[in-house]
Structure formats: C-alpha cells, structure tokens
C-alpha cells in the first residue's frame, strides 16, 4: 500500500499489467476529520426554544433543553423533600399506627428497627423490634428497683448518647415513668422516675402485647454471632425468641420480671444479675414528631 496526498493506494495486478487505484476506505486523518465535520453539519438541527444547533444523530432532542428540564426536576424534588420534612411531624398521627416499624439510631453499627406501640398527640411509643444486647438488670445481685438499677443508668446515658444522632436525641421525650408493684406479693416497684429510655412494665406488656405470641422477640444477628454458648442459653430454640427484661420487680428484692423466649411473662422473675439464664434488653421510648 502506498500513500499519495492522504490516500492509500491499492495495487491490482492482471497478468503483466499493473493498475493503481486510490481507495476511499482509508482516508487520511485530515480528510477524515473534514468528512466527519461535513456530515455533522448536515445533521445539525436548530432548537426553536434555546436557539442553539445540535447534532440530531447524537442527540434525540436539544441537550441544553434536556439539562434545563433535569435541573427543574431536581429543584421540584428538593422542594418536595423539604415539604415532606415539614409536614411529616404534623401528619405523624395519620401516618403511623400500632405495629408500624421505623428506623432510628444505630446499635453495634447496625440501624435499629423500632415498633410503634402507641401514638399520643405529637409523640409515639416505640420499642426495639429485636433484643439489642445481653445486659444484667443490675451489676450485682442486690435489692434494687428500676430507680436504682444499673440498667436504667446505662440506657439513659451510654445507650442514649451512642445510639442516636443529635437531632434524634432532641426528639426523644423525657417522661414520668410509673413503677408499679409486683402483682403476686405486692412488692414495691419503687418511686416514679423521669426517663428518656426505659424497659416496659408488666402492665404495659399486658396492654400492648395481649397475645403471648406477640411478645416473642428474637435477638439481633450480632448477639447470635458474638455471644458465647453460655449466653446463648437465653434463646429458646423452638421459637428463636430470647428473654428480655421488664422493669417490674419479681417476688424477691433482687428479682425482676422478664418475658421469656416463648412470650410468657415470668412474674416470679429472675436474679437481677443472673449469670446462668441471661436476659436481653428491648429499650422503649417516646419519640416526638
């Protein structure tokens, strides 16, 4: 192949005669560019709206108009999100109902799912859908009530500070928590407290979970993976549900009620620092909207 003025030459031999023809299939770089520009110019279309011309083969419609259209769509989406943010609080009562699941905060690096138990005016009572961790009710087996137990201190300090963002913490209401007596022997539940995070009481569990099967709560995957064999005793194999603390006292001063893995409320309770039948936590709170 020989190049002449930007063209490649194709040599064809017929007997003793040699014919040389230029081939259009191998245009030189300069001619290719001119050729493509010529074709593009023929395909250009003038937009009647923004008055710019564009390659009709490369674009189905005016690219500048499409950009403007997308920009307007994004502006409407942002405005809609802003309106929804403002109105979600006002419409909370209409939007949320008992049994709904919402996500707020993170525990162990994973988002926490909360179940709506009740809606009252501008706030909702939430409880963690799963058992979030294995914790003692108190650090030692001594006579305690909800007011004095270490679990209450943990939930309203470390748990509150690490699980929720600053905005979420602002939405958690501090409420008066009534601590009723044990129904079997009338053992005192102690003074009322003011808390943001708390465990449910015996009467609240009966109210919000009237059916036994609804009280069954499974532990998070993190507990299942990290807990040793001894701690895994708190899970009932048949149901997969674990034991979780209530704040109502058991029949002894160092016992507290709990819900077991089958959904049964143990009114006798277990030792507040039981190292054989471990118990987990399902924190509850009132969230303002």
């Amino acid at each position: 192949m020989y190049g002449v003025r930007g063209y490649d030459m194709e040599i064809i031999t017929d007997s003793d005669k040699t014919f040389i023809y230029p081939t259009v299939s191998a245009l030189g770089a300069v001619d290719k560019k001119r050729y493509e520009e010529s074709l593009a110019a023929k395909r250009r279309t003038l937009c009647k709206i923004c008055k710019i011309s564009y390659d009709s083969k490369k674009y189905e419609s005016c690219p500048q108009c499409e950009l403007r259209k997308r920009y307007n769509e994004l502006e409407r989406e942002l405005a809609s999100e802003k309106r929804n943010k403002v109105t979600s609080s006002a419409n909370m009562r209409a939007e949320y109902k008992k049994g709904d699941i919402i996500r707020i905060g993170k525990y162990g690096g994973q988002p926490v799912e909360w179940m709506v138990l009740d809606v009252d005016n501008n706030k909702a009572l939430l409880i963690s859908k799963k058992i979030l961790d294995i914790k003692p009710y108190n650090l030692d087996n001594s006579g305690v009530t909800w007011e004095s137990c270490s679990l209450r201190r943990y939930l309203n300090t470390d748990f509150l500070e690490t699980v929720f963002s600053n905005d979420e913490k602002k939405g958690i209401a501090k409420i008066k928590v009534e601590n009723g007596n044990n129904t079997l022997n009338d053992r005192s539940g102690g003074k009322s407290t003011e808390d943001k995070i708390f465990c449910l009481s015996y009467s609240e569990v009966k109210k919000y979970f009237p059916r036994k099967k609804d009280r069954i709560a499974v532990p998070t995957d993190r507990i299942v993976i990290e807990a040793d064999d001894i701690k895994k005793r708190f899970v009932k194999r048949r149901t997969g549900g674990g034991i979780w603390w209530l704040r109502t006292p058991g029949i002894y001063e160092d016992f507290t009620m709990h819900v077991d893995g089958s959904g049964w409320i143990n009114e006798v309770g277990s030792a507040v620092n039981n190292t054989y039948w471990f118990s987990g936590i399902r924190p509850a709170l009132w969230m303002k909207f």
Side-chain angles (χ1 to χ4, degrees):
M1 306 291 283
Y2 302 90
V4 179
R5 297 188 60 184
Y7 293 92
D8 290 334
M9 308 303 291
E10 183 177 0
I11 301 174
I12 301 174
T13 302
D14 182 11
S15 301
D16 297 329
K17 298 179 181 179
T18 299
F19 301 91
I20 301 176
Y21 297 98
T23 61
V24 181
S25 60
L27 292 175
V30 175
D31 291 313
K32 279 183 179 180
K33 185 177 180 181
R34 289 174 181 170
Y35 180 70
E36 289 170 357
E37 288 177 348
S38 174
L39 288 178
K42 292 178 181 179
R43 295 195 303 261
R44 298 197 76 79
T45 301
L46 181 67
C47 177
K48 295 180 181 180
I49 298 174
C50 61
K51 305 302 181 185
I52 69 164
S53 62
Y54 60 92
D55 189 337
S56 59
K57 186 173 182 180
K58 190 175 181 181
Y59 303 101
E60 292 182 0
S61 58
C62 174
Q64 183 163 304
C65 288
E66 289 298 322
L67 282 174
R68 186 182 293 111
K69 181 181 177 182
R70 182 55 185 152
Y71 175 78
N72 291 335
E73 287 175 353
L74 287 172
E75 276 198 326
R76 286 195 294 270
E77 287 174 8
L78 289 172
S80 177
E81 285 181 9
K82 189 175 181 180
R83 284 195 301 273
N84 290 337
K85 223 171 193 179
V86 172
T87 58
S88 62
S89 298
N91 295 337
M92 187 268 167
R93 293 191 67 184
E95 291 179 1
Y96 292 101
K97 61 184 182 298
K98 182 178 178 179
D100 283 352
I101 303 297
I102 63 176
R103 284 186 172 183
I104 299 173
K106 288 185 176 181
Y107 193 83
Q110 297 298 316
V112 181
E113 291 187 331
W114 302 84
M115 182 187 299
V116 177
L117 296 181
D118 197 4
V119 178
D120 182 26
N121 293 324
N122 64 335
K123 61 184 186 296
L125 175 60
L126 311 178
I127 186 172
S128 65
K129 181 181 177 182
K130 295 183 176 182
I131 297 172
L132 300 183
D133 209 342
I134 299 171
K135 292 284 183 183
Y137 191 81
N138 199 52
L139 293 177
D140 57 69
N141 280 320
S142 58
V144 291
T145 60
W146 172 250
E147 178 189 15
S148 58
C149 74
S150 62
L151 182 56
R152 175 179 175 244
R153 290 194 297 274
Y154 166 73
L155 291 177
N156 285 278
T157 53
D158 292 349
F159 182 89
L160 178 65
E161 291 300 319
T162 59
V163 171
F164 304 99
S165 67
N166 289 332
D167 287 340
E168 288 168 343
K169 281 186 282 189
K170 292 176 184 177
I172 301 174
K174 179 181 278 191
I175 65 161
K176 184 178 181 180
V177 176
E178 301 288 350
N179 299 303
N181 298 343
N182 182 289
T183 56
L184 294 179
N185 63 358
D186 205 35
R187 193 170 79 78
S188 173
K191 297 177 182 178
S192 298
T193 56
E194 288 191 349
D195 300 316
K196 286 194 169 186
I197 315 291
F198 51 92
C199 293
L200 293 185
S201 67
Y202 171 82
S203 59
E204 288 168 342
V205 168
K206 296 286 283 186
K207 176 181 178 180
Y208 297 118
F209 298 105
R211 298 184 302 178
K212 185 179 173 182
K213 66 177 183 178
D214 294 333
R215 302 177 200 138
I216 298 173
V218 300
T220 61
D221 293 338
R222 187 180 67 84
I223 295 178
V224 176
I225 294 170
E226 295 181 3
D228 56 35
D229 291 337
I230 295 175
K231 287 188 176 181
K232 286 177 182 176
R233 289 175 181 162
F234 89 111
V235 176
K236 194 173 187 67
R237 291 184 180 180
R238 183 175 59 83
T239 64
I243 300 171
W244 49 284
W245 291 115
L246 302 182
R247 70 174 188 271
T248 305
I251 62 172
Y252 306 116
E253 64 178 9
D254 59 345
F255 272 42
T256 298
M257 290 187 189
H258 64 249
V259 176
D260 73 7
S262 63
W264 175 61
I265 302 174
N266 188 333
E267 296 179 49
V268 172
S270 61
V272 293
N273 191 7
N274 192 326
T275 56
Y276 188 83
W277 296 112
F278 288 86
S279 295
I281 55 172
R282 291 185 74 187
L285 56 92
W286 281 94
M287 179 65 75
K288 297 179 289 186
F289 290 92

